[in-house]
Amino acid sequence: MPSQPLTETPPATTRAKVESAVIWVAFALYLVFLAKLLLFSRVPGSERSLNLIPFASIADYLGGPAAVRRFAFANLAGNILAFVPLGAYLTFLRRRARVWGNLLVVACVSVAVEILQWVLAVGTSDIDDVILNVVGGLIGVLGVVGLRRALRFEVVRTVIAVASVLAVPVLVFLGFVVRLRM
C-alpha cells in the first residue's frame, strides 16, 4: 500500500494554543466592551435620533464652535478607534476571508448597532457612524494584512496575542470600572 504524502499541519505547540486562547478570550471581551459602549451605556428610551445623510454630522461638528469641535474630535476618533480591533480580529481569525469580506462584516456589525440604537432609543443612529466605523475596521484589516505580509504567521499570532493581553485591562477598565455615559 503506497504511503500518503503528509499534507496535515503539524500539531500546535502549547505556546500556539495559549496564544490562540488569549486571542479568542480578548476578542470576546472586546465584543462585550463594544456592546456595553454602544448599546448599554445609556438608559433605554433616553435618546433617539436618526441621520441618513452621509457626512452631515461630520460637517456639523467641524463647523461648530470650539467646544463642539472638541466633542466632535472625541466622537469621530472614538467611532474609528472602537472598530479597529474588530477589523484586526476578523482578519486574523478568518484567515481565508478576503479584505472585502471582512469589511462587509464590519459594516454589517456597524449597521446592526445603529439599528439597535434606534430601536432601543439609546443613541443617535447615524450613517456617519457607520462610515467612521468602517474606516476603523479598514485600519484594523490593513494592519493585520501588513503584518502577515511582513512576518511569519507564528510571529503575527504572537504580536496579536501580546496586543490583546495589553488591551484587556484597558477594556475592563473602560467597560466596567468607568461608567460610560455619552
Side-chain angles (χ1 to χ4, degrees):
M1 179 177 209
S3 63
Q4 295 285 346
L6 293 175
T7 58
E8 294 180 21
T9 57
T13 64
T14 301
R15 177 180 171 166
K17 290 177 184 176
V18 168
E19 288 175 347
S20 294
V22 164
I23 291 167
W24 278 103
V25 168
F27 182 50
L29 286 172
Y30 162 75
L31 292 176
V32 168
F33 165 76
L34 200 60
K36 179 166 178 47
L37 174 68
L38 300 175
L39 299 173
F40 302 115
S41 63
R42 299 174 194 103
V43 176
S46 63
E47 181 182 352
R48 178 182 284 153
S49 66
L50 179 66
N51 171 39
L52 297 176
I53 302 168
F55 305 105
S57 296
I58 295 171
D60 287 346
Y61 285 152
L62 298 177
V68 171
R69 286 194 305 267
R70 279 191 298 276
F71 168 78
F73 176 77
N75 187 28
L76 299 176
N79 272 303
I80 292 170
L81 291 175
F83 277 73
V84 170
L86 183 60
Y89 280 124
L90 286 174
T91 303
F92 178 77
L93 296 171
R94 301 176 69 221
R95 287 190 289 257
R96 298 193 193 287
R98 298 196 181 273
V99 169
W100 294 112
N102 288 326
L103 281 179
L104 181 61
V105 172
V106 169
C108 288
V109 168
S110 182
V111 168
V113 164
E114 297 302 318
I115 290 170
L116 283 170
Q117 284 180 338
W118 170 256
V119 169
L120 300 173
V122 291
T124 302
S125 298
D126 194 332
I127 189 66
D128 290 352
D129 290 350
V130 174
I131 293 166
L132 295 168
N133 295 160
V134 171
V135 168
L138 178 63
I139 292 168
V141 166
L142 294 178
V144 172
V145 167
L147 283 174
R148 279 189 185 156
R149 288 190 176 152
L151 305 169
R152 292 186 342 264
F153 175 77
E154 295 79 14
V155 177
V156 173
R157 184 183 56 233
T158 300
V159 167
I160 293 189
V162 169
S164 295
V165 167
L166 295 174
V168 166
V170 174
L171 292 177
V172 169
F173 177 76
L174 289 174
F176 299 106
V177 176
V178 175
R179 300 197 123 233
L180 295 171
R181 300 280 179 221
M182 304 201 173

